[in-house]
Amino acid sequence: HRLAVQPQSSLGTGANLRMGASLPVENGKALLPQRDNRGQLTTLPLAVLKSDTFASAPLPYTRQTIIQQALLYYNTPYGWGDSGDGVDCSGFVVRVFRSIGLSLPRNADEQEAAPGWKRSLSGKTTAERRQILDALPPGSLLHMDGHVMIYLGKSDGDYWIIHAYTGHLETTTAGPVYRKTMRVAISPLTLQRSNGVTFLDSLTSVRQWLPDDYSS
C-alpha cells in the first residue's frame, strides 16, 4: 500500500488523497479507484508515488509524529464534515491518527466515548484541571462538548492546543465580541467559548492513545 502523509497528496491526475488515505500497490503501481462508464469499479495504475507525500507503511507510532502531522494542517480552512478543502475538528484528528495506523471514530463525541485510557474532568476545579494537564503528555486528545483538540504542551504558564475550530469570544473595551477563525489554529486554553467559559474550564475529558513508554 501507499499511505498519504500530507494533508493533500496530489496524484498528478487532478485527484488528491487526504492524509491517512491509502492505495493498494500491484506490480510496482499504485491503484487509484475509478468508476467506468457503466458505473463499475475499476482502477487506474499510477507510477510509484513520491516518498515525501506517500509512505509504504504507517508513520512511526510516537507523540512526535502526531504533533508533526498535526502541524502540517496549520491554517487549513475549517470545513464542516471535511467539506471542500477543509477539515472539521474530528476529521482533523482522524486524519492525523490514521497516518500512524490508528483508526478513530469519525465523530468527536464518539472519539471521546471510545475504549481506551481516559480521565474525566467533570466536576474538577480549574486548579485540578491544571494539575491533570501538567502531567499529560503532548499528543493527547482534549475533549469538550462537541469538540476535540490535540494537546501540544505547556509553555509560559499556558496550555496549548492545535485544533480546527470556528471561533472564540474576545473581551474588548466595547464588550464581548465573537471572532470567527474558521481554520486549524494553535491556541491557548484560555480562549473563551461563545458562552464566556474558557476552553480549559469547558474540558470534559482527556485521552491518551499512546502508551506512556512512547515518550519521543
Side-chain angles (χ1 to χ4, degrees), residues 8-171:
Q8 297 284 346
S9 298
S10 176
L11 300 175
T13 62
N16 289 317
L17 290 180
R18 293 196 175 191
M19 183 184 289
S22 63
L23 293 175
V25 175
E26 186 176 283
N27 298 324
K29 300 282 189 179
L31 304 179
L32 176 66
Q34 300 277 293
R35 182 178 296 176
D36 64 21
N37 53 16
R38 296 177 301 169
Q40 301 297 309
L41 174 65
T42 185
T43 56
L44 173 66
L46 299 172
V48 173
L49 303 166
K50 291 182 179 179
S51 60
D52 59 342
T53 54
F54 289 87
S56 57
L59 298 176
Y61 193 30
T62 67
R63 302 186 191 286
Q64 180 179 353
T65 304
I66 291 172
I67 293 171
Q68 287 176 342
Q69 291 300 102
L71 291 174
L72 292 175
Y73 271 101
Y74 180 70
N75 250 347
T76 296
Y78 182 91
W80 178 258
D82 291 355
S83 59
D85 292 328
V87 290
D88 61 19
C89 66
S90 55
F92 164 58
V93 168
V94 162
R95 296 182 189 286
V96 168
F97 277 81
R98 191 179 289 168
S99 71
I100 61 169
L102 184 59
S103 181
L104 302 184
R106 176 61 180 83
N107 178 274
D109 292 336
E110 291 175 346
Q111 290 176 11
E112 184 175 18
W117 186 95
K118 179 176 67 175
R119 183 163 184 182
S120 173
L121 297 183
S122 178
K124 302 292 185 184
T125 65
T126 301
E128 289 171 331
R129 291 164 181 266
R130 288 181 172 275
Q131 187 176 25
I132 290 169
L133 288 173
D134 284 340
L136 193 70
S140 302
L141 296 186
L142 308 184
H143 287 273
M144 59 189 186
D145 186 27
H147 192 55
V148 59
M149 303 144 277
I150 297 177
Y151 180 54
L152 295 178
K154 186 178 182 180
S155 178
D156 296 328
D158 266 326
Y159 303 97
W160 294 87
I161 55 174
I162 183 168
H163 57 147
Y165 80 119
T166 56
H168 61 274
L169 198 69
E170 283 187 6
T171 301

